[in-house]
Amino acid sequence: MASTDLRDFIRTLEKQGELKRIPFEVDPYLEITEFADRAVKSGGPALLFEKPRNSRVPVLINAFASMRRMELALEVDSIEDIAARIAGFLQMQKPEGFIGTMKMLPKLKELGSMFPKKVSSGPCKDVIRHKDFSLDEFPILHCWPHDGGRFITLPMVFSNNPETGKRNCGMYRMQVFDGQTTGMHWQKHKQGAEHYRRLLAQNKEGRMPVAVAIGADPATMYSAILPLPPEIDEMMFSGFIRGRPVEMVKCETSSIEVPAHSEIVLEGYVNLGELRREGPFGDHTGFYSLDDDYPVFHVECITHRKNPIYAATIVGPPPMEDFYMGKAIERIFLPLMKMQLPEVRDICMPAEGVFHNLILISIRKSYPGQARKVMHAIWGLGQAMFSKCIVVVDEDVDVQNVQEVAWKALNNIDPQRDIEFVTGPVDSLDHASRLPNFGSKMGIDATMKWQSEGFTRPWPKVIEMSPDVKTRVDDLWKRAGLHRR
Ligand SMILES: Cc1cc2nc3c(=O)[nH]c(=O)nc-3n(C[C@H](O)[C@H](O)[C@H](O)COP(=O)(O)O)c2cc1C
Ligand SMILES: [Mn+2]
């Protein structure tokens, strides 16, 4: 049964030995970061700080910070199970006869459970505060020494597309400016920014309603980071993962809906045209992202549960919690990518590549130039457009083994011939590109080169010992008293 809310998930983590409570005072100013960083880098548990300094609200951090915790969050034995379920739907065929139709019913029921369910109230309305509230009551982290301030780091930011009315939920950090005001760091390419642009085009003076939920059931929190196509509702995807609809409740001050089981909800608006300096922020690249102008979020009303719990994460030099969240994205989206690019066998985004800097991809090559076709397809595929370096290898290379990729790819390339540069949009966090959001990207065709690609020299085999010799030496090895390999 899917977790109902954050508390349910905390109980699960605790039962599985995946959570440590910290019963004494720790400072949300830098100290919690140092705890979380050490924990994730040493394979430690999720942390629940029961007494953050200057707040009565406990802080949960690193709840997703290992593959095991990602599996518990998404209630699967392996993240591949979700990929397999998606593949099952993509390969669904028209049923044959009565028995075929009957066999399909569970799948249809599964589809029915995806859709969010509107409810009239929920625990997030336990306490409703229209005035006399302040963000200072919450233990919002000051993450790194040179950060521009305190940042809400794990928010689910809800807005509606002004043209289609469709909902979007994205995770965009929010810098606290004062008790009622924050930044809204939706980057240019993201859906929140698109809604803002559409509204601004219609009405330069108006307001854009926005609601921010902090802490909910883990699948719903997680769905906020998924790179879904713009018109796909993250809440529906969460329902699909959970096998149970997400219950949504209307805000007090706008028609935006938020998960009814949220811990904390900030309701408010963004003034169209109002920008303010945001940052710097110690980011998931491992560098401080530079300060820049971003929209401003004004909080009008806060609703929360009785004794709310504040959910947070920190990002920084990899690997951090977001690496595990991203690894799950890599696995979940592979079947969808394969639908567009059937030659793809596997992909890997190593931690050091911080997602957008490096994608390793293995393909089954069937025609000349196919590796380059795959690169260009990836540069045209949603947020994968940010991929700064794409390395394409043949299917015999295990891309999950970065050492194997480095060894084979570097042997296989003639750099001038096999590296292709393109220019286009780059990640907003890229600090090296010639311009913000615009720069160059590189694809490396490290597949074996064919005659039909103009390569006429012979291509050598990889060295391997013959199996009979291996077996013989297994015995001799033991006779020699050497340890078995
Ligand atoms: C911890 C964390 C923090 C993030 N912070 C931001 C951010 O500040 N701004 C941003 O544009 N994207 C941020 N992202 C990435 C977006 O959540 C992600 O690109 C998401 O797919 C955007 O959703 P959208 O396509 O609905 O806009 C963050 C992701 C994580 C995991
Ligand atoms: Mn979206």
Side-chain angles (χ1 to χ4, degrees):
M1 196 65 163
S3 297
T4 312
D5 54 20
L6 191 66
R7 290 141 199 244
D8 210 9
F9 183 44
I10 289 174
R11 279 191 290 273
T12 303
L13 290 174
E14 202 155 25
K15 242 187 263 161
Q16 299 284 329
E18 291 283 342
L19 181 111
K20 177 96 182 131
R21 288 176 185 269
I22 313 290
F24 48 82
E25 189 174 278
V26 178
D27 203 332
Y29 179 81
L30 306 182
E31 283 181 2
I32 290 185
T33 300
E34 185 59 18
F35 266 91
D37 189 23
R38 288 188 197 189
V40 71
K41 290 196 167 69
S42 62
L47 303 172
L48 185 65
F49 294 91
E50 293 177 327
K51 288 197 188 127
R53 174 168 293 167
N54 296 332
S55 177
R56 276 200 231 138
V57 177
V59 181
L60 175 71
I61 200 161
N62 281 355
F64 299 95
S66 72
M67 279 331 272
R68 176 78 190 116
R69 264 169 268 152
M70 277 308 312
E71 289 157 4
L72 291 170
L74 306 184
E75 322 242 358
V76 286
D77 295 327
S78 156
I79 298 295
E80 306 285 348
D81 295 353
I82 300 174
R85 268 178 70 208
I86 293 175
F89 279 105
L90 296 175
Q91 286 153 9
M92 210 155 74
Q93 305 228 331
K94 187 168 172 289
E96 297 284 334
F98 179 70
I99 296 184
T101 308
M102 293 308 283
K103 277 192 181 154
M104 199 143 147
L105 289 179
K107 268 209 151 54
L108 292 177
K109 184 159 174 282
E110 207 179 328
L111 278 182
S113 69
M114 290 183 0
F115 298 100
K117 187 169 137 196
K118 201 166 168 181
V119 294
S120 58
S121 190
C124 72
K125 306 281 192 187
D126 282 353
V127 182
I128 299 175
R129 298 163 67 189
H130 287 280
K131 50 182 187 210
D132 300 329
F133 59 78
S134 169
L135 293 172
D136 296 340
E137 297 163 31
F138 300 101
I140 300 170
L141 309 184
H142 185 120
C143 301
W144 295 101
H146 299 296
D147 280 2
R150 297 187 299 143
F151 286 82
I152 300 173
T153 50
L154 212 50
M156 293 166 268
V157 178
F158 289 87
S159 58
N160 294 334
N161 182 321
E163 287 173 0
T164 63
K166 287 211 174 140
R167 161 175 44 232
N168 189 70
C169 173
M171 187 165 287
Y172 320 112
R173 72 171 187 239
M174 295 157 63
Q175 178 172 358
V176 177
F177 293 137
D178 61 47
Q180 290 76 35
T181 324
T182 77
M184 185 51 80
H185 189 256
W186 48 47
Q187 294 157 355
K188 278 203 160 42
H189 318 93
K190 309 296 172 73
Q191 283 314 299
E194 176 65 8
H195 293 180
Y196 176 84
R197 274 192 300 269
R198 296 271 70 82
L199 254 183
L200 188 65
Q202 288 173 9
N203 173 6
K204 294 226 170 309
E205 317 275 82
R207 288 176 168 188
M208 169 176 168
V210 174
V212 176
I214 304 169
D217 70 274
T220 300
M221 290 166 74
Y222 181 67
S223 70
I225 74 162
L226 297 178
L228 294 171
E231 295 298 277
I232 294 188
D233 182 6
E234 283 80 6
M235 297 302 105
M236 185 181 81
F237 207 88
S238 170
F240 173 78
I241 294 176
R242 288 155 51 86
R244 227 171 109 191
V246 181
E247 295 187 353
M248 301 295 289
V249 64
K250 202 177 86 58
C251 283
E252 299 301 302
T253 57
S254 73
S255 59
I256 296 184
E257 294 169 8
V258 288
H261 287 85
S262 303
E263 293 291 325
I264 301 163
V265 177
L266 314 177
E267 300 184 9
Y269 61 90
V270 166
N271 279 329
L272 300 173
E274 184 189 10
L275 300 178
R276 186 162 163 178
R277 211 68 184 160
E278 194 264 10
F281 176 68
D283 223 312
H284 82 103
T285 55
F287 291 80
Y288 285 96
S289 53
L290 303 173
D291 57 347
D292 202 354
D293 291 337
Y294 274 91
V296 181
F297 177 59
H298 298 272
V299 186
E300 279 188 301
C301 172
I302 296 186
T303 76
H304 59 78
R305 299 184 65 145
K306 279 193 209 97
N307 306 317
I309 299 168
Y310 178 77
T313 187
I314 54 144
V315 293
M320 286 284 197
E321 183 166 19
D322 65 310
F323 165 69
Y324 297 97
M325 299 167 102
K327 194 74 192 167
I329 290 182
E330 177 195 296
R331 296 293 94 199
I332 292 170
F333 282 82
L334 184 58
L336 290 164
M337 184 183 262
K338 280 184 176 172
M339 214 168 72
Q340 287 294 313
L341 302 169
E343 61 272 75
V344 168
R345 311 315 291 170
D346 197 9
I347 59 168
C348 176
M349 293 182 279
E352 298 75 13
V354 302
F355 310 126
H356 62 269
N357 283 342
L358 183 61
I359 294 201
L360 312 176
I361 182 154
S362 58
I363 64 167
R364 176 174 292 169
K365 183 159 131 182
S366 314
Y367 48 81
Q370 199 167 359
R372 289 171 192 254
K373 173 256 192 179
V374 169
M375 295 167 197
H376 287 277
I378 289 178
W379 285 321
L381 199 67
Q383 291 183 41
M385 69 173 144
F386 302 132
S387 305
K388 178 139 85 171
C389 180
I390 301 176
V391 183
V392 187
V393 293
D394 286 310
E395 61 179 322
D396 65 291
V397 183
D398 174 9
V399 288
Q400 303 302 330
N401 181 341
V402 180
Q403 291 177 328
E404 183 183 345
V405 176
W407 159 48
K408 289 187 175 163
L410 292 166
N411 268 298
N412 282 359
I413 58 167
D414 173 286
Q416 202 171 40
R417 183 195 60 204
D418 294 330
I419 297 178
E420 177 158 349
F421 295 103
V422 296
T423 46
V426 301
D427 198 292
S428 299
L429 299 185
D430 192 314
H431 59 244
S433 56
R434 61 206 67 190
L435 288 170
N437 300 303
F438 180 74
S440 72
K441 295 175 268 195
M442 172 171 85
I444 302 179
D445 174 1
T447 60
M448 173 180 152
K449 301 303 163 330
W450 295 358
Q451 262 198 342
S452 50
E453 294 173 320
F455 188 81
T456 49
R457 296 174 59 204
W459 194 273
K461 285 194 174 67
V462 169
I463 302 170
E464 253 188 304
M465 183 47 70
S466 43
D468 55 325
V469 174
K470 282 193 166 190
T471 323
R472 270 208 314 279
V473 171
D474 280 346
D475 288 339
L476 299 173
W477 186 262
K478 265 186 261 169
R479 234 174 92 189
L482 294 160
H483 291 296
R484 216 186 136 75
R485 284 188 55 201

